[in-house]
Structures are given as structure tokens and as C-alpha cells.
Amino acid sequence: MSEHNDNNSPAQRLATVQADIAAACKRANRVETPPTLIAVSKTHAAEAIAPVIALGHRDFGENRVQEAQGKWPTLREQYHDVRLHMIGQLQSNKAADAVALFDMIHSLDRPSLAKALAKAMADQGKQVPCLIQVNIGDEEQKGGCAVSDIGALLETAKGHKIPAIGLMCIPPADLEPAPYFALLDKLANDHGLTERSMGMSGDYVTATEIGSTMLRVGSALFGPRGG
Ligand SMILES: *Cc1c(COP(=O)(O)O)cnc(C)c1O
């Protein structure tokens, strides 16, 4: 498909998503404090990502350390001010690589990972802000810590001097996401945390209206994955 004269160019997709977010901010009375749009570039090659950076976009999300290591160091040579977000499940043996590469980690979900991240941050002299991923729908197969474990995991992070600044969730598929976004917003509030990483391609407007501070949007910006 041509990138120049159809209405699915990266520039047009980005403009559409940004306009949706701006309209939602207006409705929710938060024009002064819009959420950060994280462009989720997983599975997409550097050639697809570079045009979006060139449009001025700076926040990007990846879900696999190894894949991100393969494409971002080169892109960053050209664009030094890109901010990279780790949004996928993180194995403890990849903690050092993640700390080296990413500017924020959205998937802190267990004490053993907190320990590994703390050691990596100390070794590298680099503080990487983290979000606690919450299994907001209490789903059997889903990653994230249980709602009832958030407090304990925050204490563990604090004990390890990890900057834990918010919560992240992926609501159950095929259910109305609004109640889950509202619950994450309340939990962040209860724990005195500022960041709420919630909202994807199908529900970023709803998430914006419910107080998301970071939207993780992939296919609405890059087109379908694996297509
Ligand atoms: C892939 C992914 C996204 C983006 O999904 P889209 O539906 O393509 O916007 C957001 N968050 C996480 C954790 C993901 O893995």
C-alpha cells in the first residue's frame, strides 16, 4: 500500500488518534493534562517506526526485550530523545537488559522481579521508573499482580528503592473496559500514585475519559500486526 496518497498513512493515523484524544480530553475537562500517547511498535520493523518518529512522536512501547534490542539502538543513534516503554511481561533474567534499554517499565508484577530490577538499577547507576501491572479482572491466565497484593508489592519496590510511580492494566478481552479503568484509577488514587497506564487501540478514548495518563496504542497507529 502506498504511504503517500491513501488515508492510512502513518501521518493520518497519528493525526486521527491525536484528534480522538483531544476530543476526549475536552469532554473530560482535562485539556491541560492530556495523557501521553505511547506508540506500541512491537512486531513492526525500524522502517515502519522511523516515519512516526520523523513526524515528531517520541514515546514508543515494546513488549519483548530482545526484539527491542534489535531495532532501537540504531533508531536512537538518529533520534536521541526517544523514550522507550517496556509494556510486556519481563523475565528476571532480562531485567538488566531492560534497565539498560528502557526509560520506563510498565510490567512490574512480582517481588522477584522487583529484586532483579533493583540490582540492575544499582549496577548500572540508572533509575528507571516502574509501574505495577495489575490483574484488574482477576483472570486466571492473565499477568499482573492481584489487586490485593498491590500494597505489598509497592512496599517491596520501595524497600528496594525502585521508583514505582503508577499502575498499569489490560482489562479482560470482550468486556466493557470502563469499570476496570475506573477501578485502576481508584486504586492508583488510594495508593497515592500519579500514573495510570491504560487504554489500547480499541478503548483509548474511554481510557482518556476515565483518567488514563498513558495510552498504549499499537494497531490504530501502525496498522494490523502480522498482516
Ligand atoms: C500490544 C499491546 C498494546 C497495544 O495493542 P493495540 O490493540 O494494538 O493497540 C498495548 N498494551 C500491551 C501490554 C500490549 O502488549
Side-chain angles (χ1 to χ4, degrees):
M1 237 197 306
S2 165
E3 286 187 359
H4 303 290
N5 57 8
D6 64 71
N7 56 12
N8 271 320
S9 70
Q12 270 155 335
R13 288 202 201 101
L14 182 60
T16 299
V17 171
Q18 285 172 332
D20 288 347
I21 296 167
C25 283
K26 237 180 182 171
R27 286 194 296 278
N29 217 347
R30 55 174 300 196
V31 172
E32 307 293 323
T33 55
T36 298
L37 174 61
I38 298 170
V40 177
S41 48
K42 67 186 186 194
T43 77
H44 295 285
E47 294 72 40
I49 301 169
V52 182
I53 310 177
L55 287 165
H57 198 77
R58 286 298 176 269
D59 286 274
F60 290 84
E62 292 283 345
N63 69 337
R64 293 170 136 193
V65 173
Q66 212 170 345
E67 181 188 338
Q69 282 174 324
K71 53 193 181 187
W72 281 100
T74 311
L75 284 166
R76 268 183 163 163
E77 280 171 23
Q78 197 179 351
Y79 302 101
H80 301 278
D81 55 347
V82 154
R83 288 174 295 273
L84 269 192
H85 300 256
M86 174 58 186
I87 62 168
Q89 210 204 352
L90 187 53
Q91 283 161 10
S92 293
N93 63 8
K94 295 274 171 62
D97 288 338
V99 165
L101 184 63
F102 289 95
D103 300 290
M104 191 177 290
I105 292 169
H106 293 229
S107 47
L108 173 51
D109 61 356
R110 59 194 190 279
S112 58
L113 180 59
K115 198 174 160 196
L117 287 170
K119 181 179 185 303
M121 289 184 205
D123 288 350
Q124 297 175 35
K126 182 184 179 193
Q127 287 285 92
V128 180
C130 292
L131 309 178
I132 306 285
Q133 182 175 350
V134 180
N135 185 355
I136 200 75
D138 195 21
E139 296 174 276
E140 192 98 6
Q141 304 285 17
K142 199 79 149 243
C145 85
V147 167
S148 55
D149 291 341
I150 296 172
L153 188 50
L154 278 169
E155 280 306 308
T156 301
K158 209 163 121 189
H160 285 297
K161 301 194 168 59
I162 291 177
I165 61 170
L167 304 178
M168 177 272 226
C169 76
I170 306 168
D174 307 322
L175 288 181
E176 167 58 47
Y180 297 100
F181 292 155
L183 178 56
L184 196 81
D185 182 61
K186 179 190 180 297
L187 290 166
N189 219 31
D190 290 349
H191 290 286
L193 300 166
T194 48
E195 304 298 333
R196 297 107 161 95
S197 170
M198 57 190 198
M200 305 175 24
S201 289
D203 51 25
Y204 63 87
V205 166
T206 303
T208 300
E209 290 171 351
I210 300 178
S212 171
T213 63
M214 285 180 274
L215 307 167
R216 310 177 310 267
V217 177
S219 42
L221 292 171
F222 289 100
R225 284 181 292 274

